[in-house]
């Protein structure tokens, strides 16, 4: 291919990227990651449509968590690119990616178990979007500081209320049930008011009634325009709740489609039967 053709192709690709900006906020292109001899993520490309709940499924070891880590800057890819809202975010630090509105949930760290739910929430924005709140504070302007703190506190209560854990504000995070912890993890992520959330097995260890509540919250947020990419083990849960499903197997994308299409796929059935699920 001549240089000018390549250039023209690239310009066309950029133009189509621009067209799709907004419609497909997350675009993953040819991501690759090896660990020693293992290719955990092998030429993975997909996009996530704005305002959808998209599921990422696949047998154990398929490369789902590694893909999440590459997208959110926890790991650098060996090759490939990630774009968010039309901007290249490959190899940015996690907090820089969060600043741009793409966040993942984190398990509550051990140190934070000894803090209350409220304290956990007040700490959450640091290194994330809300850090702007602190950075923008001019030393000496006490009223400003107070106003910023009040705004943060107001947002904290709003989010706690949304997840119906406001009554647990003074409880130590370490005393929460598995499900309540998941709610707090989501609440912390949401505090920064992201555009898109990546959830890695958000229902693990959650009892059925809390799972239903968590799902209701996710659907409610989706209707408000948030976009979700969810890794989940429970195939039925993904099939019943997601509009789009991406299937990974042995580091590669096996298929992508609607739940009905994925369910009907021989390749998917084989991948699940062949591997440990
Ligand atoms: P999944 O989340 O789909 O279960 P992972 O992304 O966790 O899969 O893992 C994909 C493959 O990469 C597995 O074979 C796993 O053992 C390997 N892997 C993941 N992280 C590391 C790491 N930090 N070091 C070495 N191997 C890893
Ligand atoms: Mg995983």
């Amino acid at each position: 291919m001549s240089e000018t053709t390549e250039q023209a192709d690239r310009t066309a690709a950029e133009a189509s990227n621009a067209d799709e900006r907004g419609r497909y906020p997350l675009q993953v292109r040819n991501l690759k990651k090896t660990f020693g001899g293992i290719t955990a993520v092998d030429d993975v490309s997909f996009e996530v449509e704005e305002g959808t709940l998209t599921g990422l499924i696949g047998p154990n070891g398929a490369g789902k968590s590694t893909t999440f880590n590459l997208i959110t800057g926890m790991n650098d890819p060996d090759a490939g690119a990630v774009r968010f809202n039309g901007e290249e975010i490959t190899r940015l630090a996690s907090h820089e990616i969060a600043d741009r509105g793409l966040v993942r949930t984190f398990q509550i760290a051990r140190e934070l178990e000894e803090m209350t739910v409220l304290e956990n929430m007040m700490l959450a924005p640091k290194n994330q979007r809300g850090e702007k709140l602190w950075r923008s504070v001019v030393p000496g302007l006490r009223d400003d500081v107070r106003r910023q703190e009040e705004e943060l506190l107001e947002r904290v209560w709003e989010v706690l209320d949304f997840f119906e854990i406001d009554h647990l504000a003074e409880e130590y995070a370490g005393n929460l049930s598995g499900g309540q912890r998941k709610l707090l993890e989501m609440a912390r992520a949401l505090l920064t008011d992201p555009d898109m959330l990546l959830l890695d097995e958000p229902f693990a260890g959650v009892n059925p009634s809390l799972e239903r509540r968590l799902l209701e919250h996710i659907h409610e947020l989706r209707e408000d325009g948030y976009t979700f990419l969810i890794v989940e083990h429970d195939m039925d849960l993904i099939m019943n709740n997601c509009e789009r499903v991406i299937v990974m197997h042995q580091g590669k994308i096996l298929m992508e489609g609607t739940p009905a299409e994925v369910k009907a796929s021989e390749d998917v059935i084989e991948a699940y039967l062949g591997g440990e699920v």
Side-chain angles (χ1 to χ4, degrees):
M1 200 190 282
S2 77
E3 240 173 62
T4 41
T5 325
E6 263 178 43
Q7 181 60 44
D9 277 359
R10 215 171 302 136
T11 313
E14 272 161 23
S16 85
N17 269 342
D19 278 351
E20 304 214 325
R21 193 173 303 161
R23 281 223 310 135
Y24 292 93
L26 180 66
Q27 301 182 319
V28 173
R29 290 282 172 267
N30 309 107
L31 273 190
K32 189 175 171 169
K33 180 72 181 176
T34 56
F35 294 109
I38 299 165
T39 305
V41 172
D42 193 0
D43 201 26
V44 160
S45 300
F46 63 85
E47 31 208 56
V48 175
E49 193 178 348
E50 187 166 43
T52 61
L53 250 171
T54 296
L56 179 60
I57 63 169
N60 263 336
K64 307 179 296 294
S65 293
T66 307
T67 300
F68 263 30
N69 290 341
L70 296 176
I71 293 172
T72 53
M74 312 293 295
N75 272 150
D76 282 342
D78 299 333
V82 183
R83 297 175 74 86
F84 184 65
N85 286 336
E87 184 189 356
E88 169 121 26
I89 58 163
T90 329
R91 293 185 184 80
L92 291 185
S94 289
H95 71 271
E96 294 172 309
I97 294 170
D99 274 345
R100 285 158 177 78
L102 177 62
V103 303
R104 61 175 297 162
T105 50
F106 284 101
Q107 290 193 339
I108 307 295
R110 191 148 295 232
E111 311 89 79
L112 297 184
E113 291 182 357
E114 285 160 33
M115 290 190 189
T116 66
V117 165
L118 190 62
E119 286 164 347
N120 266 276
M121 291 294 283
M122 294 302 282
L123 280 173
K126 282 194 180 161
N127 305 321
Q128 294 186 12
R129 248 189 183 182
E131 199 187 344
K132 285 199 283 289
L133 276 174
W134 306 109
R135 253 193 260 126
S136 65
V137 169
V138 181
L141 289 182
R142 281 165 172 273
D143 287 351
D144 249 31
V145 176
R146 204 172 302 128
R147 202 176 53 240
Q148 307 263 12
E149 275 185 356
E150 277 167 12
E151 277 171 18
L152 173 61
L153 200 56
E154 205 174 300
R155 173 80 183 146
V156 162
W157 281 107
E158 197 181 289
V159 176
L160 286 177
D161 178 56
F162 176 79
F163 285 103
E164 301 169 65
I165 49 173
D166 43 329
H167 63 290
L168 296 171
E170 300 301 331
E171 189 60 75
Y172 288 107
N175 291 343
L176 300 181
S177 71
Q180 288 169 337
R181 250 173 218 243
K182 294 286 177 186
L183 289 171
L184 177 57
E185 286 165 18
M186 284 262 294
R188 281 164 55 96
L190 208 65
L191 198 54
T192 64
D193 199 19
D195 301 321
M196 178 166 176
L197 286 109
L198 271 62
L199 312 177
D200 195 352
E201 308 210 0
F203 308 104
V206 177
N207 73 47
S209 85
L210 258 179
E211 179 181 293
R212 255 195 315 278
R213 239 173 72 194
L214 198 49
L215 272 167
E216 274 166 26
H217 292 314
I218 290 172
H219 280 291
E220 215 173 302
L221 290 166
R222 195 264 319 264
E223 276 153 34
D224 278 351
Y226 290 85
T227 305
F228 286 89
L229 181 62
I230 304 180
V231 163
E232 177 52 45
H233 227 62
D234 182 342
M235 179 107 99
D236 286 336
L237 188 146
I238 290 290
M239 295 300 175
N240 294 333
N241 288 282
C242 294
E243 293 91 350
R244 302 294 297 177
V245 181
I246 299 162
V247 188
M248 282 189 77
H249 182 47
Q250 295 178 345
K252 294 188 197 304
I253 302 290
L254 186 63
M255 86 165 288
E256 198 247 325
T258 63
E261 286 164 353
V262 167
K263 254 187 197 164
S265 160
E266 293 287 337
D267 287 348
V268 172
I269 295 163
E270 209 168 288
Y272 269 88
L273 291 179
E276 187 195 339
V277 181

